[in-house]
Amino acid sequence: MKKTSTRLADGRELIYYDLRDDTVRDAVDRRPLERTVTTSEVRRDVLLGDSVAIASHRQGRTYHPPADQCPLCPTTGDRLSEIPDSSYDVAVFENRFPSLAGDSGRCEVVCFTSDHDASFASLTEEQARLVLDAWTDRTSELSHLPSVEQVFCFENRGEEIGVTLGHPHGQIYAYPFTTPRTALMLRSLAAHKEATGGENLFDSVLERELAGERVVLEGEHWAAFVPYSAHWPYEVHLYPKRRVPDLLGLDEAARTEFPKVYLELLRRFDRIFGEGEPPTPYISAWHQAPFGTLEEFEGVSRDDFALHLELFTIRRTSGKLKFLAGSESGMSVFINDVPPEFAAQRLREVAS
């Protein structure tokens, strides 16, 4: 992998990740852009104990442009985009409309391929490995920023999810705090460790699931299963079999196997609802240990956390979506219409 860092016309960082070591990236951003001004502010909710990012400047972000005006495609002739070069393998840049910025963290866009009509599932294993390497590198780099406590790599796919750009891409949020969802996991981890005299909760969950009926697929280094208490109609958790706290901890064997396993999962998601259905909308989310101190979670260290990916769709059946209505949105109590055992069986049935 070759990494080349440069700057866009307004000063934002752009990084190319290339498969070939001899690739030269010297194209200049020719757009007449002024410096980006953001109004991001993180406010603490003292009742719930969580935080909300207030980012009014995002109201003006690019919204469903036609394909020939996509800002994530390479620059061609007089059609100028966020990527000044005429091609790329993987490109990462600071979001022009970030939810988090400055002392409130950082937001980046990850373009998986220059092919506008592709999807992550259509990438080759070599391309998917390059994306994994980019995620890992960005996690490392962002973890050293003084304002960053947790790095979250994710992909939103499909208009139903709220995606406003059709080009295959994901995002990275670098938060200035430990996110509420991670904090819940850490509290459960600490309580289980104390109650069992040192047993790791993540290890126990993985061992239980691998011995049960909800396994979707299993490799030598990775295992994918539908969790016992899945929140979403079709939800799969993907774990490395050797516990590590973050992407940086994966060894070469796990990195090599990941593309094959992950691409198979994504392709099965696209077949869940049968032939002729539009691509399955999904969220794919990496859960990594925070880089800050874990003093509030007594007895727990970063090494106790287990890196894993959670992949889920909001489509519950053909033509119908799972909406977060009163119970979910008002009380955070999910109601799942699809039994996890059925979801796991269906995902096994649609193997390629």
Side-chain angles (χ1 to χ4, degrees):
M1 177 188 78
K2 182 181 180 182
K3 176 184 176 183
T4 306
S5 180
T6 184
R7 292 283 171 179
L8 296 172
D10 56 6
R12 289 175 294 130
E13 186 178 17
L14 165 68
I15 308 113
Y16 294 100
Y17 294 90
D18 287 294
L19 292 168
R20 292 173 55 95
D21 290 336
D22 60 353
T23 303
V24 177
R25 298 296 184 188
D26 55 7
V28 176
D29 185 2
R30 293 181 281 130
R31 296 173 297 172
L33 297 180
E34 296 181 355
R35 287 273 174 175
T36 300
V37 178
T38 65
T39 57
S40 296
E41 177 188 359
V42 174
R43 297 184 180 181
R44 181 77 171 172
D45 186 321
V46 295
L47 289 179
L48 296 180
D50 60 10
S51 299
V52 178
I54 309 297
S56 60
H57 62 277
R58 284 175 54 79
Q59 286 279 33
R61 65 187 184 274
T62 308
Y63 187 79
H64 294 300
D68 62 357
Q69 297 178 30
C70 174
L72 307 185
C73 286
T75 288
T76 54
D78 292 330
R79 194 186 81 172
L80 309 179
S81 76
E82 292 279 61
I83 317 296
D85 218 323
S86 59
S87 67
Y88 63 86
D89 292 335
V90 172
V92 178
F93 60 87
E94 290 183 75
N95 198 321
R96 191 176 178 187
F97 305 96
S99 302
L100 307 166
D103 293 339
S104 297
R106 176 158 158 153
C107 292
E108 297 182 341
V109 176
V110 184
C111 300
F112 302 140
T113 172
S114 60
D115 184 355
H116 182 85
D117 298 318
S119 68
F120 202 118
S122 70
L123 299 182
T124 65
E125 290 186 18
E126 185 181 37
Q127 289 174 307
R129 168 61 191 265
L130 183 61
V131 176
L132 174 64
D133 290 342
W135 282 331
T136 304
D137 180 71
R138 297 315 301 152
T139 296
S140 176
E141 292 292 327
L142 293 170
S143 71
H144 291 101
L145 295 180
S147 63
V148 172
E149 188 166 315
Q150 186 172 359
V151 179
F152 177 47
C153 307
F154 65 99
E155 179 190 3
N156 296 328
R157 194 265 193 117
E159 290 188 21
E160 300 95 328
I161 296 293
V163 174
T164 57
L165 296 176
H167 196 102
H169 73 287
Q171 299 181 64
I172 302 176
Y173 276 23
Y175 297 101
F177 50 79
T178 297
T179 60
R181 188 174 176 85
T182 301
L184 287 173
M185 294 183 193
L186 290 169
R187 292 189 189 100
S188 296
L189 186 63
H192 185 82
K193 189 173 185 179
E194 181 179 7
T196 60
E199 187 178 283
N200 185 279
L201 180 58
F202 286 109
D203 292 349
S204 298
V205 168
L206 182 58
E207 181 180 359
R208 182 189 67 187
E209 293 291 1
L210 287 179
E213 60 181 317
R214 289 178 297 276
V215 175
V216 174
L217 61 88
E218 183 178 356
E220 183 179 355
H221 304 284
W222 293 87
F225 58 87
V226 178
Y228 170 74
S229 54
H231 290 55
W232 298 95
Y234 290 90
E235 175 181 340
V236 176
H237 292 191
L238 177 62
Y239 277 69
K241 290 185 175 179
R242 182 179 69 87
R243 173 166 43 89
V244 294
D246 51 44
L247 289 166
L248 284 70
L250 293 174
D251 59 23
E252 183 56 31
R255 293 182 183 279
T256 299
E257 186 182 74
F258 171 78
K260 181 178 181 179
V261 174
Y262 184 52
L263 290 172
E264 174 63 17
L265 272 181
L266 292 181
R267 290 162 186 168
R268 291 190 191 190
F269 256 59
D270 272 345
R271 292 193 293 269
I272 294 173
F273 303 105
E275 296 293 332
E277 287 291 318
T280 301
Y282 64 73
I283 292 175
S284 177
W286 281 109
H287 291 262
Q288 306 190 80
F291 287 94
T293 60
L294 302 181
E295 295 176 356
E296 63 179 295
F297 310 103
E298 189 172 350
V300 170
S301 69
R302 288 193 79 250
D303 289 336
D304 290 320
F305 194 87
L307 166 77
H308 63 284
L309 182 144
E310 298 185 8
L311 172 68
F312 61 89
T313 180
I314 62 172
R315 186 178 292 164
R316 56 187 175 88
T317 189
S318 179
K320 297 179 181 179
L321 301 180
K322 165 63 180 177
F323 292 101
L324 299 190
S327 186
E328 293 89 355
S329 295
M331 283 291 144
S332 295
V333 178
F334 275 69
I335 301 169
N336 189 353
D337 304 297
V338 180
E341 293 73 24
F342 174 85
Q345 178 182 341
R346 179 60 183 156
L347 285 163
R348 289 193 297 268
E349 290 174 350
V350 295
S352 58

